[in-house]
Amino acid sequence: MSTASTPGVVRDAVDGPVKTGPSGSAPRADSGTRTAYPLYVAGKLGGAAVSLLAVLVTSFFLFRIIPGDPVKAMTHGVPTSAEQLATLRRQFGLDLPMWQQFTDYCAKALTGDLGTSYQFHAPVGELIAAKLPATLLLTGAAVLIYSALGLWLGTRSAWYNGSLGDRISTGVALTLWSVPSFWLGLLLIIAFSVGIGPIPGMFPTGGMESGNSSGFGYVLDVAHHMVLPVLTLVAVGYAQTLLVMRSSLLDEMGSDYLTTARAKGLRDDLVRRRHAVPNALLPTVTMVFINLGHVAAGSILVETVFSWPGLGGLFYQALSVPDLPLVQGLFVVFAGAMILMNLLADLLYPLLDPRVGR
């Protein structure tokens, strides 16, 4: 297969024209290319730091507009004098000017001190650390399952675009993506926990364990409790991943390099795996890393519906008071996880596509 010859250019059969030096050899990487990636990394790190600072500011002022008095909420139903209420406000620092509360909060947060919970009377960091394993177990398992499932089904759906399988998978994905997760969780509880018609109740309605098992039996018990909440998260999450991967791969399928690869005699499966899918991964990588950020954040609605003892349920409890230090600490952890995962995705991009970061 002949190609046009132009001085200083060598045309690759698949990747297109590649610039060369005067003698026809490949060019040396100049100093600008060598310094581009460090500058790219520095820019992304600076952006992440600014985002984290914005999260600290937002977390303080956002939850101050929540209606309700934390001190009155904590003493609800208990006879309390005005002097006792004033003492509690002074104890929690709620009597200080807003600017002083803000500076104290930022100074402590930057050193890792997220304050003390109003309702639990314990350090916020300890409360988060105690609930984090349950959230990581639930959402971590769900993210791994629906990311792999969405990538695989999205790839096949795009590659066989217009087929019966594509129409079915896309229709199911669009339907599940539009379904609220808490509503789907309630339906699963009605169908498979309570039982409906000929379907008996097979799974627990909530919680993480029954409390009467140990060893391998405990593992099975936790897995039994995980089935419905994981199924809820997978049903909603895989749909989004599938649709993003399908759209990205469809954009690549008309590219000339795929036509050239087929003309060289490569099997269709190799063209898809070695050429099309790697070039379509960038948008999906962003989606996967955002989903990994949700591993720490958990799912407030799903954890609440299934009474899962994780960070989502803790956040719901904190909002009901409102427990300002706990709400702010959880908000910082949730947003910080998302910022970190976006940063890792940005740093991974140049490894997948060398054009990024130049």
Side-chain angles (χ1 to χ4, degrees):
M1 187 175 185
S2 63
T3 58
S5 176
T6 305
V9 174
V10 174
R11 182 170 296 276
D12 183 84
V14 173
D15 297 323
V18 179
K19 294 183 179 179
T20 64
S23 63
S25 59
R28 295 182 179 179
D30 56 19
S31 58
T33 303
R34 287 194 297 268
T35 59
Y37 186 68
L39 291 175
Y40 173 80
V41 172
K44 294 301 179 182
L45 290 174
V50 172
S51 298
L52 187 58
L53 180 60
V55 166
L56 289 177
V57 175
T58 304
S59 66
F60 179 83
F61 290 104
L62 176 64
F63 299 108
R64 288 302 191 281
I65 64 176
I66 297 177
D69 186 339
V71 173
K72 289 185 178 180
M74 285 185 291
T75 57
H76 180 69
V78 178
T80 309
S81 65
E83 291 78 10
Q84 290 174 321
L85 291 175
T87 301
L88 287 174
R89 289 193 178 91
R90 186 167 54 253
Q91 177 183 345
F92 293 129
L94 296 175
D95 61 329
L96 298 174
M98 188 66 69
W99 67 266
Q100 189 172 349
Q101 293 184 45
F102 175 68
T103 54
D104 290 346
Y105 164 71
C106 289
K108 291 180 179 180
L110 292 175
T111 60
D113 183 2
L114 298 176
T116 302
S117 168
Y118 293 164
Q119 57 180 325
F120 297 106
H121 304 287
V124 171
E126 293 182 5
L127 293 172
I128 293 175
K131 297 290 187 180
L132 183 60
T135 290
L136 293 179
L137 177 64
L138 177 67
T139 55
V143 167
L144 290 176
I145 294 172
Y146 72 63
S147 294
L149 184 63
L151 286 172
W152 181 68
L153 289 177
T155 299
R156 296 191 65 84
S157 182
W159 202 252
Y160 301 105
N161 181 33
S163 65
L164 178 61
D166 171 44
R167 292 196 296 270
I168 293 175
S169 64
T170 304
V172 172
L174 286 171
T175 301
L176 291 175
W177 197 8
S178 61
V179 171
S181 58
F182 72 91
W183 183 75
L184 180 59
L186 290 173
L187 289 182
L188 292 178
I189 289 176
I190 293 173
F192 298 106
S193 292
V194 179
I196 182 172
I199 303 176
M202 298 177 287
F203 299 101
T205 56
M208 183 176 173
E209 56 178 300
S210 300
N212 54 2
S213 58
S214 60
F216 185 66
Y218 173 78
V219 175
L220 293 178
D221 185 34
V222 172
H224 190 218
H225 283 75
M226 286 177 61
V227 171
L228 292 186
V230 167
L231 182 59
T232 303
L233 293 171
V234 168
V236 176
Y238 103 93
Q240 186 178 21
T241 308
L242 181 151
L243 293 172
V244 170
M245 185 62 192
R246 179 181 182 275
S247 176
S248 180
L249 187 54
L250 284 175
D251 289 341
E252 293 290 330
M253 287 179 59
S255 301
D256 293 338
Y257 70 90
L258 295 182
T259 304
T260 305
R262 290 190 181 96
K264 291 173 62 179
L266 293 181
R267 297 197 313 272
D268 198 58
D269 181 59
L270 290 178
V271 173
R272 181 177 71 245
R273 287 190 293 109
R274 293 185 181 180
H275 299 286
V277 171
N279 284 287
L281 274 179
L282 285 185
T284 313
V285 165
T286 302
M287 181 65 60
V288 170
F289 273 88
I290 289 176
N291 291 336
L292 289 176
H294 289 155
V295 170
S299 176
I300 298 173
L301 295 177
V302 172
E303 289 190 14
T304 302
V305 167
F306 288 97
S307 303
W308 189 263
L311 295 182
L314 186 64
F315 189 75
Y316 178 79
Q317 287 180 278
L319 278 176
S320 63
V321 174
D323 188 340
L324 295 179
L326 185 53
V327 169
Q328 291 168 177
L330 287 167
F331 183 82
V332 169
V333 170
F334 295 165
M338 298 299 296
I339 292 171
L340 177 60
M341 289 299 107
N342 275 293
L343 175 62
L344 292 178
D346 288 336
L347 298 182
L348 182 63
Y349 280 167
L351 303 179
L352 297 175
D353 188 346
R355 295 171 297 180
V356 178
R358 288 184 178 178

